């Protein structure tokens, strides 16, 4: 994207509305996404920070008046500068506390969406981290226009130490202490991984409104240094967004989350991650089945142009395309814990395979019948001319028939319908053979009976051959399905192991953060609260 687009618009009535054009952009992003959202009071320079993350001087509207420029939530999708194969999604939110809105609930909706959608949340504030700033939050924290010395008890402090000092809890159980501690406890509990940047004033106050057009020489070097450090930290430390079960969020999945959350909020309900994931799992899994089946059908339709094929050829290709279909399904599906959707895909593929086998058999049958028609035309002509209606005619007929069968078996040796078409041909010639046999005066009655028995034996043998061929083909088909099932089970196990590994990594990361928080609280005498953290 060359420029940002509006993802969630704020209507004149204050209602939030997802922009379909933005969702279409997200639908095209198949890569994992790193989502960075910025929230904070209006006219505090949020958009400038996001433009810096985008590597641009302009993009998100900065504005130059006291009015809030950004309305709703705007989105900018870019190739991630340091994480190959992923997309950086920047979300610039409408400023909180805009007097024109006069609706604190609207601020809550915007803030909630930013938290729910992001993998990294940037809280942009101005001045200092004071008690009011914390209480109004009920998070990397970027403190803008910071002018104080960072000292704690007379000692120089780092930016992170400054943040932790601002979040320090007070000992005691009075209502005043509890009110003081509550927002800080919430921040410490729900944002165990925290980072702070204190960003100095960028330039002469008269030039702040025109920051995006200023020459770098007119901007404070310290300001540029801190914002560069801020951007690098975001690029290096912000993680790909995952759902809680370890499923990677792509642009398409993010689009589903946006739509689900906004629709939920619009009804007045509280957005719930679990409900959103359940709703999205149904949409994604149904689409995964459709995509998998399309992959299978696309391959088999091209193969169909080569029908008829030997059974082992068509089953081999079926196996290959079926495996590709399952892989396609696996890439998109998630939370198919009971295998309902994978089973649906298997059943659809099996139905399609049966249809392709039928098409292949009909093509083979037509080809075999064509061979037989060409080979037997001379015999048909002789029969019509009465060539075999003479003494010794039955023997001539049998010789011609044997020649036709031998030539046919040579031509149609690789056809799946070779036996059945030959069986049908021999059955059709029974009445003709009987008539010729009875008309042959050269033969005795005993010889006629012997030949009749021989004909019945030949027909029975051919019928058995046709049945055996059908049984062989059925067994081959069943063996193929067994192999396909084993391949699917292997893919499911690999997928589960990957998800478990991701879940373990996320759990480990969260546990390490909580243990650090617990340790910090215990050091300060908050043993009871530290155990409640876990």
């Amino acid at each position: 994207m060359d420029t940002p687009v509006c993802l969630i618009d704020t209507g004149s009535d204050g209602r939030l509305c997802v922009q379909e054009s933005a969702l279409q952009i997200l639908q095209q992003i198949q890569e994992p996404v790193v989502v960075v959202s910025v929230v904070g009071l209006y006219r505090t320079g949020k958009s400038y920070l996001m433009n810096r993350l985008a590597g641009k001087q302009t993009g998100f509207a900065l504005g130059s008046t006291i009015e809030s420029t950004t309305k709703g939530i705007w989105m900018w999708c870019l190739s991630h500068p340091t994480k190959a194969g992923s997309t950086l999604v920047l979300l610039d939110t409408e400023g909180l506390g805009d007097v024109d809105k006069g609706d604190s609930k609207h601020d809550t909706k915007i803030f909630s969406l930013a938290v729910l959608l992001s993998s990294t949340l940037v809280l942009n504030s101005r001045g200092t981290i004071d008690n009011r700033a914390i209480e109004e939050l009920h998070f990397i924290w970027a403190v803008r226009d910071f002018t104080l010395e960072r000292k704690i008890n007379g000692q120089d402090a780092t930016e992170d130490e400054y943040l932790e000092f601002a979040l320090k809890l007070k000992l005691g159980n009075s209502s005043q202490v509890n009110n003081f501690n509550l927002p800080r406890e919430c921040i410490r509990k729900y944002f165990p991984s925290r980072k702070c940047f204190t960003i100095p004033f960028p330039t002469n106050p008269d030039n702040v409104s025109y920051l995006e057009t200023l020459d770098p020489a007119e901007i404070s070097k310290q300001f540029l240094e801190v914002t560069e450090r801020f951007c690098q930290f975001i690029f290096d430390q912000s993680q790909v967004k995952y759902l809680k079960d370890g499923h990677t969020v792509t642009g398409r999945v993010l689009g589903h989350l946006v739509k689900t959350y906004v629709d939920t909020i619009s009804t007045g309900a509280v957005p719930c991650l679990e409900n959103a994931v359940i709703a999205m799992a149904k949409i994604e899994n149904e689409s995964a089945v459709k995509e998998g089946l399309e992959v299978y059908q696309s391959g088999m339709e091209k193969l169909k142009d080569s029908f008829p094929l030997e059974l082992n050829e068509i089953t081999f290709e079926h196996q290959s395309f079926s495996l590709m279909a399952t892989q396609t399904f696996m890439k998109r599906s998630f939370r198919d814990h009971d295998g309902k959707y994978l089973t649906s895909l298997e059943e659809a593929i099996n139905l399609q395979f049966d249809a392709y086998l039928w098409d292949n058999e009909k093509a083979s049958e037509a080809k075999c019948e064509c061979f037989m028609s060409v080979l037997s035309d001379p015999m048909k002509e002789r029969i019509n001319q009465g060539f075999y209606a003479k003494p010794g005619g039955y023997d001539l007929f049998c010789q011609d028939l044997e020649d036709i069968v031998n030539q046919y078996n040579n031509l149609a040796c690789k056809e799946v319908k070779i036996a059945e078409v030959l069986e049908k041909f021999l059955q059709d010639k029974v009445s003709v053979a009987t008539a010729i046999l009875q008309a042959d005066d050269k033969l005795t009655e005993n010889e006629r009976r012997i030949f009749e028995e021989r004909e019945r034996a030949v027909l029975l043998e051919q019928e058995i051959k046709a049945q055996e061929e059908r049984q062989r083909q059925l067994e081959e088909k069943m063996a193929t399905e067994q192999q396909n099932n084993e391949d699917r089970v292997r893919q499911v196990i690999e997928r589960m192991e990957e998800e478990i590994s991701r879940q373990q990594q996320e759990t480990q990361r969260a546990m390490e953060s909580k243990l650090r928080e617990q340790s910090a609280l215990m050091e300060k005498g908050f043993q009871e609260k530290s155990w409640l953290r876990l």
Side-chain angles (χ1 to χ4, degrees), residues 484-528:
N484 283 351
N485 288 335
E486 292 175 0
D487 289 340
R488 289 190 187 103
V489 169
R490 175 179 53 78
Q491 290 184 73
V492 168
I493 292 174
E494 290 175 355
R495 171 69 176 274
M496 289 176 61
E497 289 175 347
E498 289 175 2
E499 290 184 349
I500 289 172
S501 177
R502 284 198 296 265
Q503 289 178 33
Q504 289 174 339
Q505 291 173 6
E506 286 295 301
T507 301
Q508 180 67 23
R509 192 165 63 88
M511 184 58 70
E512 288 174 354
S513 296
K514 289 184 177 181
L515 287 173
R516 286 196 299 270
E517 184 70 22
Q518 177 199 27
S519 177
L521 286 171
M522 291 184 68
E523 286 179 5
K524 295 174 176 60
F526 293 92
Q527 285 87 354
E528 182 179 351

Side-chain angles (χ1 to χ4, degrees), residues 367-405:
K367 188 174 180 179
C368 289
E369 287 176 346
C370 182
F371 285 151
M372 189 60 77
S373 176
V374 172
L375 293 171
S376 63
D377 273 350
M379 172 183 275
K380 187 184 299 182
E381 186 65 26
R382 288 184 177 185
I383 292 172
N384 292 337
Q385 292 174 356
F387 176 78
Y388 302 110
K390 59 184 178 181
Y394 181 73
D395 187 52
L396 293 172
F397 173 79
C398 289
Q399 290 177 11
D400 288 347
L401 186 62
E402 184 178 357
D403 288 342
I404 292 171
V405 171

Side-chain angles (χ1 to χ4, degrees), residues 194-351:
R194 305 181 290 271
K195 179 70 178 174
C196 180
F197 290 90
T198 54
I199 304 174
F201 213 77
T203 185
N204 185 298
D206 294 337
N207 294 332
V208 170
S209 298
Y210 312 100
L211 194 57
E212 61 183 355
T213 60
L214 287 181
D215 186 279
E218 299 179 82
I219 301 177
S220 161
K221 289 183 178 180
Q222 188 180 4
F223 173 82
L224 292 174
E225 183 274 325
V226 177
T227 53
E228 177 61 29
R229 189 158 47 84
F230 164 82
C231 291
Q232 198 57 50
F233 182 87
I234 292 288
F235 296 149
D236 294 342
Q237 300 301 319
S238 294
Q239 302 297 315
V240 165
K241 186 170 179 61
Y242 290 102
L243 299 178
K244 67 176 184 178
D245 57 0
H247 185 76
T248 303
V249 175
T250 63
R252 184 184 61 246
V253 173
L254 181 64
H256 289 315
L257 288 174
V258 171
K259 188 76 168 61
T260 302
Y261 288 145
V262 172
D263 288 348
T264 302
I265 289 174
S266 296
T267 64
V270 176
C272 171
L273 176 59
E274 182 66 19
N275 291 343
V277 170
I278 291 173
M280 186 172 57
K282 182 177 185 297
I283 295 171
E284 284 292 286
N285 286 333
E286 287 176 350
S287 297
V289 171
K290 182 180 178 182
E291 281 189 11
L293 189 58
E294 286 174 351
V295 166
Y296 177 79
Q297 288 175 326
S298 176
M300 292 298 285
E301 282 298 316
K302 293 177 182 176
L303 185 68
K304 189 175 177 180
D305 295 336
S306 303
F307 285 1
L309 296 171
E310 291 184 67
L311 183 61
N312 64 340
E313 289 182 277
I314 191 171
T315 53
F316 175 82
E317 296 297 335
H318 156 73
Q319 208 166 354
S320 175
F321 293 131
S322 180
L323 183 62
M324 291 169 61
T326 305
Q327 290 171 340
T328 300
F329 171 85
M330 289 292 184
K331 287 179 181 178
R332 182 160 187 175
S333 69
F334 71 101
R335 279 206 167 192
D336 186 24
H337 300 315
D338 58 359
K340 170 186 171 183
Y341 292 97
L342 180 58
T343 300
S344 175
L345 175 62
E346 292 173 9
E347 291 173 349
I349 287 176
N350 287 336
L351 285 174

Side-chain angles (χ1 to χ4, degrees), residues 42 45 81 88 108 132 173 181 190 199-200 252 254-255 315 385 392-393 406 417 445 460-461 484 489 508 512-513:
Y42 79 109
L88 177 65
T108 301
R132 179 181 175 185
N173 291 308
N181 285 344
Y190 294 112
I199 304 174
R252 184 184 61 246
L254 181 64
T315 53
Q385 292 174 356
N406 289 337
K417 283 294 188 176
E445 285 300 321
L460 179 60
E461 181 183 4
N484 283 351
V489 169
Q508 180 67 23
E512 288 174 354
S513 296

Side-chain angles (χ1 to χ4, degrees), residues 94-148:
E94 181 174 347
L96 308 178
D98 187 351
V99 293
D100 287 340
K101 294 197 300 285
D103 183 2
S104 60
K105 291 182 179 179
H106 182 79
D107 286 351
T108 301
K109 294 174 184 178
I110 294 293
F111 185 87
S112 298
L113 285 169
V115 172
L116 289 167
L117 296 174
S118 62
S119 45
T120 294
L121 180 71
V122 178
L123 174 62
N124 189 74
S125 67
R126 175 170 284 172
T128 61
I129 303 177
D130 56 17
N131 191 52
R132 179 181 175 185
I134 293 173
E135 287 181 344
E136 288 180 349
L137 272 179
H138 281 278
F139 130 108
I140 304 166
W141 195 325
V143 184
R144 306 296 296 277
D145 305 340
F146 189 81
T147 58
L148 303 178

